[in-house]
Amino acid sequence: ARLGLCISVADVATNWKSKANDVPAPGLAAATKAYPKAQTKEWEKSVEDGKTTYEATRTDGAAKWQVVYEASGAFVAREEVIPVASLPAAVRDAVKVKYPKATVHSAEKITGATATEYEVGLNNAPKKEVVVASDGKILKEE
């Protein structure tokens, strides 16, 4: 389960900006191979629960997204801002049921190796963000 009531120091992510030459070669190669025409605007190194990942902010024309890899080059996720109107009906419905007075102000699609999730930003709700599975199951509330 992703939801936890206690947060230990080990659960807190540490992030810092990195230069391309600080990214392990397999991770750098994987990002380049997956998106050969895209340019990398910046890299960010993250350590969470002892696991290190590297996130590249990539652009190709007007398109912009983040892609996350492990040092080994293993794909973790692609994150991109999407129009709120593009949220799947199951996701919109789940948010409306849970937070009937909320207004959705932002949406992000997170495509992982095995599943797609949506991070939804809320106004007029007790939580500012929720992460929802494509089937409408609320996975995390912040």
Side-chain angles (χ1 to χ4, degrees), residues 32-78:
T32 303
K33 182 179 178 184
Y35 307 100
K37 294 181 182 179
Q39 295 181 337
T40 300
K41 294 297 183 187
E42 68 182 19
W43 282 95
E44 186 174 297
K45 180 179 179 181
S46 178
V47 178
E48 186 173 358
D49 297 330
K51 183 178 178 181
T52 302
T53 57
Y54 296 86
E55 177 180 298
T57 299
R58 309 292 312 263
T59 60
D60 187 359
K64 179 179 175 182
W65 66 93
Q66 287 77 38
V67 64
V68 183
Y69 290 95
E70 294 178 2
S72 67
F75 173 79
V76 176
R78 175 182 163 131

Side-chain angles (χ1 to χ4, degrees), residues 5 17 27-28 36 40 42 46 51 56-57 62-63 83 88 90 92 95 97-99 109 112 119-120 123 130 134-135:
L5 297 177
K17 302 289 182 214
L28 192 60
T40 300
E42 68 182 19
S46 178
K51 183 178 178 181
T57 299
R92 286 193 314 265
V95 171
V97 166
K98 181 78 177 189
Y99 301 104
K109 181 179 180 180
E119 187 174 279
V120 180
N123 286 331
V130 292
S134 56
D135 66 359

Side-chain angles (χ1 to χ4, degrees), residues 17-23 43:
K17 302 289 182 214
S18 296
K19 296 179 181 171
N21 60 357
D22 295 333
V23 178
W43 282 95

